Amino acid sequence: MGDPANKATLFDALARVGKALGSGKRLELLDLLAQGERSVEHLATAAGLGLTTCSAHLQALRQAGLVATRRDGTKIHYRLAGPDVAALYALLRDVAGARNAEAAAARDAYLGPADTEAVDRDELRRRLAAGDVIAVDVRPAEEYAAGHIPGAVSIPLDQLAERITELPADVEVVAYCRGAYCVLSHEAVRLLTDHGRPAVRLADGMLEWRRDQLPIVA
Amino acid sequence: MGDPANKATLFDALARVGKALGSGKRLELLDLLAQGERSVEHLATAAGLGLTTCSAHLQALRQAGLVATRRDGTKIHYRLAGPDVAALYALLRDVAGARNAEAAAARDAYLGPADTEAVDRDELRRRLAAGDVIAVDVRPAEEYAAGHIPGAVSIPLDQLAERITELPADVEVVAYCRGAYCVLSHEAVRLLTDHGRPAVRLADGMLEWRRDQLPIVA
DNA sequence: ACACTATTCCATGAAACATTGGAGGATGCG
DNA sequence: CGCATCCTCCAATGTTTCATGGAATAGTGT
């Protein structure tokens, strides 16, 4: 015990998990899996990867112990190995955003201008309880089905323009999506305000909602 | 905004931080830096690295934004960029230990048999307040000086055998070290009990103490 | 058994990384 | 100013990782 060889083995083992976090594509897969389990093919198209490439990345994540699989017929569904994995991903994202100027710039470029108003989770819960806002989940329907904020309605962003009439015109909308680094709610609020609807976005999303163990409807 | 190119840029930027965590040597450096700032030369010898190799790894960490530097004469001292970096390292370590069988095995091999009794932080603080234990910091004196548990005395492990008489024979000792994955307190407790002294170890160490923002004397 | 689907395994070339030794830059001291 | 110290930068090496296409595998339906 305590000898340098074992020490190197230990740190190398930890590094295998670190290495799994060392590829943009793998982080993108984790980002998707944080919203619910998915088949390999679905992940490949959602992340813009070749099927074999996607499978290889998933194997890397599985060997690190970050994801687990479930077989359903011919399909294999991947999911995060546990909530701690989502927490690790979220913390990596936050540290990168806070400490790495390049990452912060890339985030701002991706999310677009800070032209939309945001509310935090506490305020959303308070105003939902008071009944003076309506929460809209703008993620793909599949992700809504895998778990969403109690009371939220599902209108995926790509259907929002045509289904905007489903929303009452005089109640403020709070749009939310995958997390603080997800662009969907930003675009949803822009679309709604362009149509003259009162709308704000939740400052983060389901990733942080789950991490902080707030109530979820599945 | 929101287009695939920006998305890839964002995830690649996050991956740069992940990559920094993808080497055992760099994790070892972070482990050391979590205890306080250090010069390059000190880090190189402590981690068993060549000077240029160590410098290169530190550059990688610095480019990721995880560490910062301070110049003092000809020496350059590295430190963690912030407490969130220590939290990220701790979480990576915990996730690896919980989800990766290989990492768990390496940890157990490094720390040795589970033959020593541990107390948690709450119990240590309670018993320190009651005055019925003495806390001994068995890390190198330098790390004690950089911050330690209030009331603890410093006896580095490599001096413990010769300085054991400094400890009262009838008061139980609680030994602590760097963190849950540090071997020093395990070996200290074995040494003390071999000498017939009542001793237990703190289940984790300064890494977790700092993370949870408990009081520190520097 | 057969074809079919979804996924993994394998081989390959291209790109990125780690390590090492030596040159070069900044600082302090006599 | 000249020299010593500490560290970083550069170039060259061997190693690892990545993306991709084709073959192999596991399960499903006829």
Side-chain angles (χ1 to χ4, degrees), chain A:
Chain A
M1 72 212 161
D3 68 276
N6 280 346
K7 190 172 193 173
T9 306
L10 170 57
F11 279 108
D12 283 345
L14 298 182
R16 241 162 267 145
V17 177
K19 273 196 235 287
L21 302 173
S23 142
K25 300 297 172 59
R26 283 196 291 271
L27 291 176
E28 202 168 343
L29 292 173
L30 287 178
D31 192 64
L32 290 165
L33 289 172
Q35 305 301 320
E37 66 172 21
R38 297 293 187 92
S39 71
V40 178
E41 188 178 24
H42 192 140
L43 287 167
T45 57
L49 293 171
L51 192 62
T52 60
T53 307
C54 183
S55 177
H57 281 303
L58 288 168
Q59 292 308 313
L61 290 170
R62 200 165 63 104
Q63 264 205 297
L66 298 182
V67 303
T69 56
R70 176 179 70 84
R71 179 143 218 156
D72 174 30
T74 67
K75 283 183 162 57
I76 294 182
H77 297 275
Y78 278 79
R79 65 177 184 278
L80 296 190
D84 50 345
V85 178
L88 178 60
Y89 168 63
L91 186 53
L92 172 71
R93 193 200 58 180
D94 291 344
V95 170
R99 304 288 169 194
N100 188 303
E102 233 171 320
R107 175 198 58 202
D108 295 342
Y110 177 59
L111 295 181
D115 59 353
T116 56
E117 193 186 340
V119 300
D120 64 20
R121 291 194 291 272
D122 283 344
E123 187 173 348
L124 172 60
R125 299 187 73 189
R126 205 164 43 238
R127 294 179 61 183
L128 272 178
D132 65 343
V133 296
I134 180 168
V136 176
D137 188 320
V138 298
R139 299 175 298 160
E142 208 169 9
E143 298 178 10
Y144 174 85
H148 56 85
I149 294 176
V153 301
S154 170
I155 307 184
L157 178 61
D158 53 15
Q159 301 172 17
L160 184 55
E162 56 204 73
R163 293 177 58 187
I164 201 166
T165 53
E166 294 179 21
L167 295 169
D170 53 345
V171 180
E172 185 169 53
V173 163
V174 177
Y176 73 90
C177 53
R178 290 168 179 159
Y181 282 48
C182 176
V183 77
L184 297 178
S185 66
H186 292 255
E187 301 197 334
V189 169
R190 288 189 194 106
L191 193 153
L192 288 168
T193 53
D194 283 354
H195 283 73
R197 303 299 187 110
V200 299
R201 62 185 169 82
L202 181 63
D204 37 46
M206 278 308 293
L207 177 62
E208 296 84 0
W209 191 276
R210 279 201 173 89
R211 180 192 61 193
D212 296 341
Q213 300 186 29
L214 298 175
I216 288 174
V217 178

Side-chain angles (χ1 to χ4, degrees), chain B residues 6 17 20 23 42 46 55 76 92 103 106 135 141 150 153 175 189 213:
Chain B
N6 281 346
V17 177
S23 144
H42 192 139
S55 178
I76 294 180
L92 172 72
V153 301
V189 169
Q213 302 187 26

Side-chain angles (χ1 to χ4, degrees), chain B residues 189-206:
Chain B
V189 169
R190 289 189 193 107
L191 193 153
L192 288 168
T193 53
D194 284 352
H195 283 73
R197 302 300 187 109
V200 299
R201 62 185 169 82
L202 182 62
D204 36 47
M206 278 308 294

